[in-house]
Amino acid sequence: MDTGVFQRLLVNAIEKGASDVHLQVGSPPLLRVRGELAEVKYHPLSPDETAAIVEEVLSKTYRSETLEQLSDLDLSYSLEGHGRFRVNIFRQRGTFSVVLRVIPIQVGAFKDLALPPVLEQIAGIRRGLVLVTGSTGNGKSTTLAAMINHINETRRTHIVTIEDPIEFLFKHKLSVISQREVGSDTPSFRRALQAALRQDPDIIFIGEMRDRDTLEVALKAAETGHVVFSALHTQDALKTLNHLIGFFPGSQEQQVRSRLADCLMAVISLRLLPWKGTHGRIPAVEILRTTRTIQECIRDASKTQAVTRYMEEGGDIYGMQTLDQHLLKLVKEGKVELEMAKIAASNPSSLERRVQPEE
């Protein structure tokens, strides 16, 4: 597969609304469309073809790695006039495989992305930690980009982004945005975060909350009056809290709980579902906002399980909702099939009962 064919494949992926492109030896190229993988009409790829694709991607970056040095690598690739791609290169059975995530050129607004209006309020906070969570391919990066773009259009701030690799590219509007890429601009998230605190930021965006060191510096930034946005691979708000606390040894649990109670402002959890009657997908969104009651639940381990109940009760005033509440709403509005909603739901049988009309 030469460069021209490779780039035409990527253009085709964008036109078909694919979220990912998979390139692996012994298989034709695959596109993930509406969550399902489908083959492209092309012959099975050879080791030389995937190696040539890796060389093409590397040639468009500042990375110094050679093919012989590579085992796995994250980086970005741009196709001028069409879009950008987050690329993961990895070896399997001695040959190269490549997975490319499609990144749109334009950052969507909350309404365009079918995200709840309360996200505009959350984007407007002036201090603290905001986390967007969900499994891979469920819209975390797109949602965070929409929040950063909203701030860029409405406030005069200095935003520092730290990513591995950089995904969405932002232009200065009301805000000034400094975008740093781990590997080419800085050696690590921790180093970039420590440096960011000396760069007069108002807002720091961390591409992913990967480990204890990153969380520690993020909490420090939030505690000193900055806003920190980041992503985490957890399914819902309750699992997110437990995961963050689990980064630290048990002897520090109470201290970490107190810090999170003071710093954590919101957790937004996402699952993308097929949009009934269209070729698109729609997000089911769980939203936790930190109230005094939620703070007490975070501080006290015996009360943490009650977070879900308070989210269910906090919709009218705070815009909170559980995933199942939003799934029910999407089904009743005719936007999502019941069977798809049940697959995503935390309690499928309860969801089904609530959908059925009362006799």
Side-chain angles (χ1 to χ4, degrees):
M1 181 182 286
D2 62 26
T3 299
V5 174
F6 171 57
Q7 293 184 345
R8 286 197 295 275
L9 171 66
L10 298 185
V11 172
N12 183 51
I14 293 170
E15 291 174 345
K16 289 183 177 297
S19 62
D20 300 88
V21 180
H22 290 250
L23 304 169
Q24 188 171 107
V25 171
S27 169
L30 299 170
L31 303 182
R32 186 177 293 278
V33 181
R34 299 191 79 204
E36 300 292 331
L37 286 174
E39 287 187 356
V40 173
K41 290 183 179 179
Y42 196 79
H43 61 258
L45 296 170
S46 69
D48 287 344
E49 286 179 301
T50 59
I53 290 167
V54 171
E55 288 186 316
E56 161 62 18
V57 173
L58 288 174
S59 73
K60 299 298 191 295
T61 73
Y62 297 105
R63 306 297 293 238
S64 60
E65 289 89 343
T66 64
L67 293 189
E68 291 73 23
Q69 294 172 318
L70 281 182
S71 56
D72 53 74
L73 182 66
D74 290 313
L75 65 167
S76 56
Y77 181 79
S78 294
L79 200 56
E80 190 172 352
H82 295 283
R84 285 169 52 79
F85 302 83
R86 186 182 71 205
V87 186
N88 179 258
I89 299 167
F90 61 99
R91 286 185 184 269
Q92 61 99 22
R93 294 189 295 177
T95 63
F96 284 111
S97 294
V98 184
V99 178
L100 302 99
R101 166 63 51 82
V102 179
I103 303 169
I105 294 177
Q106 299 295 325
V107 179
F110 298 131
K111 184 177 180 181
D112 298 332
L113 299 170
L115 292 167
V118 70
L119 265 64
E120 185 173 322
Q121 295 179 25
I122 295 172
I125 69 167
R126 300 300 171 125
R127 59 163 292 275
L129 176 63
V130 175
L131 295 174
V132 177
T133 81
S135 57
T136 301
N138 276 272
K140 297 187 300 297
S141 297
T142 303
T143 300
L144 281 161
M147 299 179 83
I148 296 298
N149 194 55
H150 177 77
I151 296 168
N152 190 19
E153 292 177 338
T154 57
R155 292 167 55 190
R156 295 190 181 278
T157 64
H158 179 206
I159 303 169
V160 177
T161 78
I162 306 163
E163 299 174 77
D164 182 17
I166 291 172
E167 297 191 14
F168 290 89
L169 296 179
F170 297 99
K171 295 180 180 179
H172 302 324
K173 296 178 182 177
L174 287 184
S175 293
V176 174
I177 304 182
S178 305
Q179 294 191 255
R180 307 194 69 198
E181 183 166 291
V182 175
S184 56
D185 299 320
T186 179
S188 68
F189 277 105
R190 181 179 177 84
R191 177 81 170 270
L193 269 168
Q194 291 171 331
L197 295 177
R198 299 189 294 273
Q199 293 159 8
D200 188 32
D202 299 289
I203 293 154
I204 302 171
F205 166 47
I206 308 165
E208 186 180 341
M209 195 68 65
R210 293 185 173 181
D211 52 36
R212 172 183 167 182
D213 286 347
T214 308
L215 176 59
E216 180 66 52
V217 183
L219 286 173
K220 179 182 177 181
E223 288 165 345
T224 52
H226 303 88
V227 182
V228 180
F229 291 93
S230 190
L232 198 63
H233 289 278
T234 47
Q235 294 295 310
D236 56 39
L238 190 57
K239 289 185 175 67
T240 298
L241 292 172
N242 291 331
H243 188 74
L244 293 174
I245 294 164
F247 274 143
F248 294 84
S251 59
Q252 297 182 29
E253 179 178 338
Q254 195 52 55
Q255 178 188 5
V256 173
R257 284 182 173 275
S258 294
R259 294 178 73 188
L260 283 172
D262 290 336
C263 293
L264 186 65
M265 295 292 108
V267 178
I268 302 155
S269 302
L270 303 159
R271 295 188 196 177
L272 284 179
L273 302 171
W275 196 325
K276 185 177 178 181
T278 76
H279 294 294
R281 294 197 290 171
I282 188 169
V285 188
E286 179 169 284
I287 299 172
L288 169 70
R289 300 185 70 183
T290 304
T291 63
R292 289 184 179 180
T293 303
I294 295 295
Q295 285 181 314
E296 184 59 31
C297 289
I298 296 172
R299 286 194 180 94
D300 188 340
S302 68
K303 298 179 180 179
T304 303
Q305 288 296 125
V307 162
T308 302
R309 175 164 59 86
Y310 289 120
M311 278 194 293
E312 290 175 340
E313 297 171 354
D316 292 339
I317 300 175
Y318 303 106
M320 289 195 279
Q321 62 189 18
T322 65
L323 179 73
D324 285 9
Q325 282 179 313
H326 196 208
L327 286 169
L328 178 64
K329 182 174 184 286
L330 293 174
V331 171
K332 288 188 172 182
E333 290 175 347
K335 295 177 179 177
V336 171
E337 296 280 2
L338 174 59
E339 291 306 311
M340 297 305 302
K342 285 167 61 179
I343 292 171
S346 301
N347 190 332
S349 57
S350 174
L351 176 67
E352 186 169 25
R353 286 195 304 270
R354 294 168 71 185
V355 169
Q356 303 301 327
E358 295 182 3
E359 296 183 359

